[in-house]
Amino acid sequence: MSIVDSTSSYERWLGRQIDVVREDLDTKHELMAESAFVCFRGTYYRWLERVADWAPGLDAPVVAGVGDLHVENFGTWRDAEGRLVWGVNDFDESEELPYTYDLARLAASALLAIREAKVRLEPDAAADAILAGYRKRMTSGGRPIVLAGRHRRLARLVDDELPDQAEWWKETLGLPPAASVPRSAREALRAVLPAAGWRYELHTKASGVGSRGHRRLVLTGDCNGAPAARELKQLSPPAGHWLGRALSDGAEGRAGLVRSADPLRAVRGGWVARRIAPDCVKLDLGEVGTRAGARRMLAWMGAETANVHLASADVPEVLADLKRRKRRWLEQAADGLADAARQDFKVWRRQYRYGDSNPGFRRERAAS
C-alpha cells in the first residue's frame, strides 16, 4: 500500500477505537504536507508497517519500547521533589518491539532534521551519539535525567527554551471552550487534581502531529491564588494492534523503569491526564546552537532510551546483540529509513495538493 492507502486504513481503524476529531485529522493531513520530517512524525503507523522492509537488519531482542520515538518526543516535568526532570514524555505507542526499532526511528528522525537544516550536525555523528549514549546507560544500569547537579548543561538548554509565563498562561486560558469532561476520563482526572473540589474551566486543544485527531482537553482554574492547568488526552491502542499484533504491556509504569516519575501524570480508562505548565516544555533540537551541543543532546536521547528499555530488557542479551552488529549499522538503517520517509512524503504531498487521493478531501467530497 502507498502512504495514502495506509493512512486511510489506519484512520478507519482509529475511528473504531476512539472518538476521532475529524477536523483535527484534516489539519494533520495538511501539516504532513509541509516537510518530510513532519510527515514522518505524523505517520508512525506507516513506519511500523514498513520498517521490516525498509530496514531488514533490525531483528533483535524484544523490549517494551517507546515505539513512536523521535527527536521531538522528549520534554520536562516536575518530580515528587519538585525538581525538573527531562526524558521521554509520550508513551502512546509503547509496546513490545525489538530494541533496535526505537534507536533506528530516533536516528532516522535526527537524519531528517539534519537534511532539512533543522540541526547542525553530520549524519554519522548523529547515529554515533545516540548509540554511545544508549550503550553507556545499558552498561551502567541507567540513571534518571534530573536537571540538577550532573546535568547542568542540559538544564541551561531547557532554561533557554522556557516560554514567557504570562504569554503561556494567556494562550492557555484563551483556548476554545468545551462542554464537559467525558465520563471515561474522570478517573484519570481525579488522580491529578490540584485539590479536592477544584473549580475549573474546560477547553479544547489541538496540538502535536502524531496524536492529532485524538480528543484533547485542558482544564484551567485558580489554585491557592494562582492558575493551575491539567490536560486530558484520549488514548488509542498502539499501531501494532492495527497491524494485527496482540496487545502487549508498554513501558510506562513498569517496575524497573529508570525514571524520576511525574506524580501528576495518570493513565486510566483510556485517557492520560497530566499537569501542564510553562516549565513542562519540549526542547527543540534545532535551537541547540552548536554541533557539540547537538551531539550531547542526541547522546542524552540515546541514554534516556536505554532508561526506558531497562525496565524490560534482558541486558546481557541486548549488549551481546549490540556487540555483534557492524560498526555503522545504525547510520545505515537510519539512512534507508529516512530515504523511504522522504519518498512517502513526496507521494503524500503530491496527493494532498491534487486532492483525489487525500483522505480528508475524500471525506469532504463524500459529505457534500
Side-chain angles (χ1 to χ4, degrees):
M1 294 193 294
S2 74
I3 185 174
V4 176
D5 296 327
S6 295
T7 298
S8 296
S9 173
Y10 175 76
E11 290 179 358
R12 285 195 300 271
W13 172 84
L14 185 66
R16 296 191 293 270
Q17 313 302 315
I18 63 171
D19 302 321
V20 169
V21 183
R22 292 293 176 182
E23 56 268 32
D24 288 351
L25 275 186
D26 292 338
T27 301
K28 175 180 175 177
H29 298 160
E30 183 179 358
L31 292 171
M32 285 163 52
E34 290 182 357
S35 73
F37 178 77
V38 176
C39 190
F40 179 84
R41 276 194 57 192
T43 54
Y44 171 69
Y45 53 88
R46 169 68 172 175
W47 184 87
L48 190 61
E49 177 189 39
R50 296 302 308 278
V51 61
D53 299 319
W54 291 338
L58 295 180
D59 288 342
V62 169
V63 300
V66 180
D68 187 13
L69 191 61
H70 52 78
V71 295
E72 293 188 354
N73 190 4
F74 296 83
T76 58
W77 62 89
R78 294 281 177 183
D79 69 5
E81 294 295 327
R83 302 172 303 185
L84 207 59
V85 183
W86 177 90
V88 172
N89 67 356
D90 184 344
F91 290 92
D92 294 3
E93 297 287 356
S94 182
E95 61 174 327
E96 293 181 354
L97 295 166
Y99 81 89
T100 49
Y101 278 26
D102 275 353
L103 294 175
R105 184 163 172 82
L106 178 59
S109 73
L111 186 53
L112 287 169
I114 289 167
R115 290 180 178 179
E116 294 177 12
K118 295 179 182 292
V119 180
R120 296 174 53 196
L121 195 63
E122 299 76 16
D124 59 340
D128 287 348
I130 290 168
L131 201 52
Y134 183 82
R135 183 182 285 110
K136 181 177 180 180
R137 279 287 162 57
M138 288 299 291
T139 303
S140 68
R143 185 172 68 232
I145 302 178
V146 180
L147 302 188
R150 296 182 180 182
H151 293 97
R152 292 176 184 173
R153 284 176 173 168
L154 181 54
R156 286 196 295 269
L157 291 173
V158 168
D159 190 59
D160 289 342
E161 287 293 294
L162 293 179
D164 179 81
Q165 290 206 23
E167 287 297 318
W168 190 92
W169 280 111
K170 180 180 179 180
E171 180 180 341
T172 301
L173 294 171
L175 289 169
S180 61
V181 175
R183 184 181 300 274
S184 57
R186 292 175 187 172
E187 184 181 356
L189 176 60
R190 282 196 294 269
V192 302
L193 285 174
W198 182 52
R199 300 182 65 180
Y200 58 80
E201 294 183 354
L202 188 63
H203 314 265
T204 61
K205 181 181 178 183
S207 64
V209 183
S211 62
R212 193 173 286 252
H214 293 60
R215 292 187 68 186
R216 195 185 293 254
L217 302 168
V218 170
L219 300 84
T220 60
D222 183 82
C223 180
N224 297 326
R230 299 292 185 265
E231 182 184 69
L232 290 164
K233 182 173 69 172
Q234 191 174 24
L235 300 174
S236 62
H241 195 47
W242 166 64
L243 295 171
R245 287 205 295 274
L247 292 174
S248 58
D249 291 336
E252 188 171 18
R254 282 199 181 218
L257 186 68
V258 181
R259 197 169 189 81
S260 191
D262 181 352
L264 293 177
R265 177 184 172 93
V267 179
R268 308 275 196 282
W271 289 78
V272 57
R274 62 175 184 140
R275 167 187 175 266
I276 58 172
D279 56 4
C280 298
V281 298
K282 290 185 177 181
L283 186 59
D284 188 346
L285 187 60
E287 297 299 319
V288 179
T290 66
R291 286 177 170 82
R295 281 196 298 271
R296 282 194 296 269
M297 178 61 64
L298 288 168
W300 286 321
M301 291 179 179
E304 171 65 0
T305 305
N307 283 341
V308 173
H309 290 183
L310 282 164
S312 58
D314 182 326
V315 175
E317 189 179 9
V318 170
L319 291 176
D321 187 80
L322 281 170
K323 188 174 181 179
R324 72 169 178 80
R325 290 183 175 274
K326 295 181 179 179
R327 183 169 176 268
R328 308 225 69 84
W329 72 269
L330 184 56
E331 179 189 350
Q332 291 167 2
D335 192 57
L337 291 167
D339 284 345
R342 287 178 64 83
Q343 291 302 313
D344 263 358
F345 165 66
K346 290 176 182 178
V347 171
W348 180 267
R349 182 176 58 181
R350 181 170 62 248
Q351 299 291 359
Y352 183 83
R353 285 179 174 176
Y354 292 105
D356 285 347
S357 295
N358 179 272
F361 179 87
R362 285 206 301 269
R363 283 201 305 274
E364 292 170 4
R365 184 170 60 181
S368 64

